[in-house]
Amino acid sequence: MTNPPSSDIPTLYDAGRTERALYEAWEAAGLFHAHAGQTTGGGGTRDPFTIVIPPPNVTAVLHVGHGLNNAVQDVIIRWRRMAGDEALWLPGTDHAGIATQNVVERLIAKEGKTRFDLGREAFVKRTAEFVRETGGVILQQLRAIGASADWRRTAYTLSPELSRAVREAFVRLYEQGLIYRGYRVIHWCPRCLTSLSDEEAEFKDTHGKLYHIRYPLADDASRFITIATTRPETMLGDVAVAVHPDDERYRSLIGTDLLLPISNVRIPVVADAFVDREFGTGMVKITPAHDPNDFEAGKRLGLAMPVVITPDGRLDEVHEAEGRVPASLRGLDRFDARKKVVKMLEAQGFLEKTDQHHHAVRHCYRCHTVVEPRLSDQWFVRMAPLARPALEAVRNGTVRIVPERWEAVYVNWMEGIRDWNISRQLWWGHRIPVWRCACGHETALREDPSSACPQCGGAWTQDEDVLDTWFSSWLWPISTLGWPDKADGPDLKAFYPTDVLVTAPDILFFWVARMIMAGYEFTGKAPFHTVYLHGTVRDMQHRRMSKSLGNGIDPLKVVEQYGADALRWTMIAGMGLGVDVLLDPDDLEKSFAPGRNFATKLWNIGRFLLMQVGHEPVRPLAALDRTKFRSADHWIVNRLADAVAECDTALGPVRPPNGAWPERQRQMGLRLDAYAEAARRYLWNDLADWYVEACKSRLAGSGEDREIARALLVHCFDQGLRLLHPIMPFITETLWQRLPGQAKGTWLVTAAWPTAPERSALAHEFEVVKDVVTAVRQIRNDYVLPPTQALTAHLDGNAPAAALALAEAAFVQRMCRTELVAGAAPAGAAAHALLGGGLEVVIPLEGIVDVAKERGKLEAELTQLDKQLTGLRGRLANPGFTAKAPAAVVDAERAKEAEWTARTEQLRSKILALGGT
């Protein structure tokens, strides 16, 4: 890419034409590649800095949540690349077992077939072909928003390399006894026909019903007890009713039998301390095959465990349930069966009452079907031993979670962690590497068996289930860098542990916690030192954006209309630490125009500056003679130093000292919105609004003063573009390439991050000039004086400060069409502004405004406001109002009182200045 002359800069910035070509140039130049040999761990001199992308589903398309997440990652990685680190952003995709299988099943359903019609081998082949044809689209789309990932390293969780990592991890844990097969109640999705982990069965608030059912005593039908349930269809699997052993109300019933309604099966009343005597009636029915708590109670008490719901969610006598499900209910969907069971109970006199009931019900995280607790044979990981070092890592600061409030959530979950159900009854995914022989011998293998069973010579049969998708994802930071094949390889040595993990809070347990556990288990180290949990993109009603709500925003449409920089700016500048980003899907202009407008402003600043300074190289800052600086020069150097310091503080610290974060540093840095504002304020307010204006007349001149102005403008703009580049990479690179003296083949992507210049002790001189200009502008605004109205400002008091302002009188005249005069103003109506240090700016108003009319208008406003303020204060002094009104209303009234009081003081000051009393 060649650097065009400044005179060729277009009037308007065309993001659409610029961004694609620029990204292709970056890629062609290999600017995003990270090299292990350049790092300190690989024999080089650069500190490594690594981020691994949360791998999107391989068949996903870019949505606004991806846009936010990847914009954050890209800002951080671009910053560290410019700061001199060997920065690696490692991209990739997830095979997404349930999600991908669901997509393919829907496709073949259109052909009138199911996966069972195809058979396992053909279905897996069909899914793999679908992934090859459609997969990875999202990675191309990420390029459109400027993602500077090292695409050569793109990983895939179902690739041969990562599949070997999965097998290695499974076999190691199996051999240690940390993976086992268990028969217990798990979360089952009747739609996906697979088990789910606790984290995959998400709670959703639901308006349901609570049914109060009478259970008659088996030997005395005139007596009964009442049990409440939200799932009456599962009562057909009841095997007992439990009471607390110390509950005097029911002690006489312990050991007696009840008659199960509808089924007419005898079930005992048993005692168990798990029953809460204070909750409801103090009696609970035990359905061991369809409730996890009941399952544990059933095991303790040695009860039968009849299964009465099929895998696809229908009632039937599935297992140990003979005689429990009447023929009229068999084959009915569970929800239809619920309605029929209720009618049968009502008809037989067993339904005492029905209440409306608001409660949380688990749903499948993929298809949103209501999950069914169901007794099933599954594979589990013993999590308690794995959780211990991961829990300690957060407690001792080895790993910090930002924002801090999520640390308590993490600790609470880890302390109560349950074993992880890792088997899925799917066909797409990593098949569980366990083989069994008919003789009963079982083994877990890293490679498919090449010989017969060593016990009997029989044939092997592989387990039918596949592993939970997250079982491959929890290895992501190590498997993508070569573990286990290259456990001693250069990439793992150079780039592991990684540095910052950027994700959303909703997968803190799905993924983040498990990665920390895997890191310690398989490498002895935490996989990263910082977990950055950003907010969620929501609409103006604070609803999460989703397809189902129809409130989503297509990031590519935003890029097309406003440019990638505008998208990125909006995301980053509007994102406080852990705070949700609010966007209006019905008004993209309102949401993204500010980002586009900032890009336009930046382009206009650059265009004017570049056309004024010309194409000739300028001297570096260190070569300039500071004794020849003007006040504005000293000031802009200090403002640049301030901006660099503010950006560094907002972004850093980078790494924990000595391997652990001190308490005071655990929540420092990664304030991306504060960083964005510091960079914007410097470029727009300091450089454009003040320094460029201060240099205009100097650029029209010649000699040393012009060269100093040229050099400082170029240097300060260059540094500002560097500060802003991680957020708005395209427009900053485009402008930076046009700066005079740029060497061919240099790129802002890899340019050095700014360091603060040596500060000047004389910067305060221009602050005086700024204060005078600001005071005059405020007076114009207060008295509604048009910009064309020439004014005279008298500078009274603090003669040294007045002299500083008078030295820049020409600049003040140009900025606010006001002539500066030293000394007191003549007697008469005037506007006053008292500045710091005792300098007063006085502007005579006689002959400029109708003093009497203006004073009368202000006095009338003051009279009316005084009346309103008196009434307001009376209301606030009334205990009846302040005690009874909502706190928000009272607070609003107090704020109004403060605002009106300030306004009355302002009015009195103006009236006094106009000769009033």
Side-chain angles (χ1 to χ4, degrees), residues 107-284:
L107 289 175
I108 61 176
K110 294 178 181 178
E111 303 168 8
K113 298 179 181 178
T114 69
R115 62 173 161 132
F116 301 103
D117 294 324
L118 270 64
R120 183 170 194 146
E121 186 176 345
F123 179 81
V124 170
K125 183 179 179 182
R126 176 78 175 267
T127 307
E129 289 172 353
F130 173 75
V131 168
R132 277 195 296 273
E133 292 169 4
T134 63
V137 169
I138 191 169
L139 300 183
Q140 293 297 326
Q141 294 173 325
L142 286 174
R143 289 167 163 85
I145 66 170
S148 62
D150 189 345
W151 301 110
R152 299 175 310 165
R153 296 173 177 268
T154 300
Y156 176 46
T157 54
L158 210 55
S159 68
E161 296 82 7
L162 271 63
S163 295
R164 284 194 291 275
V166 168
R167 280 215 179 174
E168 178 66 28
F170 184 97
V171 174
R172 285 195 193 184
L173 295 175
Y174 180 91
E175 291 173 345
Q176 295 175 54
L178 294 177
I179 284 182
Y180 66 95
R181 193 162 178 84
Y183 191 58
R184 61 175 59 180
V185 172
I186 47 84
H187 307 293
W188 181 269
C189 176
R191 158 63 184 80
C192 299
L193 295 178
T194 184
S195 64
L196 303 170
S197 68
D198 290 344
E199 295 73 35
E200 291 169 324
E202 298 175 336
F203 282 112
K204 290 185 180 179
D205 288 339
T206 304
H207 291 284
K209 293 180 179 179
L210 188 63
Y211 303 91
H212 297 259
I213 303 171
R214 292 170 175 168
Y215 287 56
L217 271 65
D219 298 324
D220 184 358
S222 65
R223 299 172 60 199
F224 59 84
I225 63 171
T226 301
I227 305 291
T229 180
T230 59
R231 300 161 63 216
E233 70 279 7
T234 64
M235 67 178 289
L236 302 177
D238 289 357
V239 296
V241 168
V243 298
H244 195 280
D246 298 330
D247 194 330
E248 295 292 340
R249 295 173 296 174
Y250 305 122
R251 181 169 289 177
S252 64
L253 291 175
I254 296 173
T256 63
D257 283 350
L258 305 171
L259 201 61
L260 183 64
I262 298 178
S263 297
N264 293 322
V265 173
R266 293 175 74 99
I267 59 174
V269 177
V270 298
D272 196 290
F274 92 99
V275 178
D276 184 352
R277 284 175 287 182
E278 307 302 321
F279 182 77
T281 61
M283 307 183 79
V284 295

Side-chain angles (χ1 to χ4, degrees), residues 435-442 453 455-461:
W435 281 262
R436 297 183 192 86
C437 176
C439 72
H441 183 52
E442 177 185 284
C453 170
Q455 301 287 340
C456 69
W460 290 111
T461 300

Side-chain angles (χ1 to χ4, degrees), residues 196 329 383 464 468 763 790 879:
L196 303 170
L329 292 174
M383 298 302 282
E464 291 289 325
D468 178 6

Side-chain angles (χ1 to χ4, degrees), residues 727-751:
I727 305 175
M728 303 178 77
F730 292 104
I731 193 169
T732 53
E733 180 78 78
T734 303
L735 288 167
W736 191 83
Q737 290 290 337
R738 294 173 180 272
L739 290 176
Q742 291 289 37
K744 185 176 180 179
T746 57
W747 299 91
L748 182 52
V749 170
T750 51

Side-chain angles (χ1 to χ4, degrees), residues 35-46 48 490 493-494:
H35 304 278
Q38 297 289 332
T39 69
T40 51
T45 58
R46 293 175 179 267
K493 285 183 178 179

